[in-house]
Amino acid sequence: MRRLYQSIFVILGVTMVVFLILHIAGDPVQLFLPPGASTEMIEEYRQALGLNDPIWVQYLRFLKGLVVGDFGKSFYYNEPAMKLVMERFPATLQLTFASMIMTIAIGFPAGIISAVMRNSKTDFVIRILALLGQCVPVFWIGILLIILFSVKLHWLPTSGRGTFLHLLMPAFALGMYSAATTTRLLRSSMLEILNKEYILVARAKGLHPYFVILKHALKNAVSAVLTVLGMHIAGLLGGAVITETVFAWPGIGRLAVQSINNRDFAVVEAVVILISVSYVTINLLVDICYAIINPRIKLNGGG
């Protein structure tokens, strides 16, 4: 229950920070009215949108709507903000899910091979690639992929969503950092486990090396990676903002960027709150899973 209360306070803190930053950033009325709009017209529009109320009144009104899932109406699209967000959310979930598959498909084999072949040329190459994967910005990788596979080779579409081919480059660009982190973390954890006595005993009994690695070493090493993977799932939702913008992927990240440019407060708040709630929920679930896998860890911090 303590984690649940902490999660609620975190979400409340996020709502307050986002609300204040958006309202300090500028007046959305200036974007909707023509340049020669009179002062009376501006004031009338501000009054209609409730922007003349004190900031704390606007915040309480926002919280009241938040409880029932009502984020207000989009200034720009003239539609309910949550409706716009939920229409784009499946596209972001699809990209996040594909990126996580990419992370596991690359990170796990690379981490295991690097640990088993420690100090070899293969290990050296994997470590260099993992380091690059953590250092190179997502937008830069995205642009390179577009230039190589779309402009030069004409193998993949440059942007948009529709077929499996549209998904490959965004998923790789978004999942690359997570795959690199998983590789380095799993390698480190595997190296520690492989030096344990029970691994040496298993090898001395003549068990097959694959059985020792996958059954004994990986099983114990993966618990350290699980927490990071959970955080990466939540991080991928937030990181999709840049990736979706580069590849024109019609998800909530691209919607958030467009709404920030339009100072569309309701939509930006809905996107940020949705990502924050997803982030907190996923981390809470990861903590529960971690406690189930390793009973010595207690959620109340007593482990």
Side-chain angles (χ1 to χ4, degrees):
M1 287 302 291
R2 193 178 70 175
R3 288 295 179 92
L4 184 61
Y5 293 142
Q6 289 175 345
S7 301
I8 293 173
F9 278 112
V10 168
I11 293 172
L12 277 176
V14 170
T15 63
M16 187 177 295
V17 171
V18 172
F19 186 85
L20 290 176
I21 289 177
L22 286 175
H23 283 72
I24 291 173
D27 188 355
V29 175
Q30 301 292 337
L31 292 178
F32 305 137
L33 295 180
S38 63
T39 306
E40 291 77 14
M41 187 181 295
I42 294 175
E43 283 301 314
E44 185 179 346
Y45 209 85
R46 287 180 58 82
Q47 186 68 31
L49 295 176
L51 297 175
N52 282 335
D53 295 334
I55 190 74
W56 63 271
V57 173
Q58 295 183 49
Y59 180 65
L60 289 179
R61 188 164 59 224
F62 166 69
L63 285 182
K64 185 179 176 182
L66 181 64
V67 173
V68 295
D70 181 12
F71 289 84
K73 188 173 283 189
S74 163
F75 299 157
Y76 189 78
Y77 297 98
N78 198 28
E79 291 185 45
M82 184 50 78
K83 175 176 176 289
L84 290 169
V85 173
M86 295 312 295
E87 285 176 353
R88 307 287 188 93
F89 196 47
T92 299
L93 279 182
Q94 182 189 23
L95 180 58
T96 302
F97 184 67
S99 300
M100 185 48 62
I101 292 177
M102 197 81 74
T103 296
I104 294 173
I106 296 174
F108 271 63
I112 295 171
I113 292 171
S114 184
V116 173
M117 303 179 70
R118 183 183 184 184
N119 295 330
S120 65
K121 290 182 181 178
T122 304
D123 177 33
F124 178 76
V125 171
I126 290 176
R127 281 189 292 157
I128 293 295
L129 291 176
L131 187 61
L132 287 174
Q134 288 185 305
C135 297
V136 179
V138 172
F139 72 89
W140 195 70
I141 283 294
I143 293 172
L144 286 182
L145 291 174
I146 291 173
I147 293 174
L148 178 61
F149 292 105
S150 299
V151 179
K152 298 291 184 184
L153 300 176
H154 302 286
W155 287 356
L156 299 173
T158 55
S159 60
R161 179 193 182 210
T163 65
F164 175 71
L165 296 180
H166 286 88
L167 189 59
L168 289 178
M169 288 196 295
F172 181 80
L174 182 60
M176 192 185 61
Y177 178 84
S178 299
T181 304
T182 301
T183 298
R184 298 187 69 183
L185 185 61
L186 187 58
R187 177 185 183 275
S188 175
S189 184
M190 285 285 291
L191 287 176
E192 183 181 347
I193 297 295
L194 288 173
N195 289 323
K196 297 286 186 182
E197 287 187 4
Y198 65 89
I199 296 294
L200 300 177
V201 170
R203 285 174 169 167
K205 287 181 178 178
L207 295 178
H208 195 283
Y210 291 115
F211 185 82
V212 175
I213 293 168
L214 298 178
K215 176 69 177 178
H216 296 286
L218 180 61
K219 180 182 177 182
N220 291 288
V222 77
S223 60
V225 183
L226 183 61
T227 303
V228 177
L229 275 178
M231 294 179 67
H232 281 183
I233 294 174
L236 289 173
L237 283 172
V241 172
I242 299 173
T243 308
E244 289 179 1
T245 303
V246 172
F247 291 98
W249 187 264
I252 59 172
R254 188 160 177 250
L255 177 65
V257 173
Q258 293 170 340
S259 300
I260 290 172
N261 291 331
N262 296 327
R263 295 176 189 166
D264 199 348
F265 294 163
V267 177
V268 178
E269 289 164 353
V271 170
V272 174
I273 298 303
L274 182 62
I275 292 176
S276 302
V277 170
S278 302
Y279 197 99
V280 171
T281 303
I282 290 172
N283 276 286
L284 187 61
L285 292 175
V286 169
D287 286 342
I288 294 173
C289 291
Y290 196 57
I292 293 174
I293 291 175
N294 189 350
R296 291 173 299 177
I297 304 298
K298 301 296 183 184
L299 290 180
N300 59 9

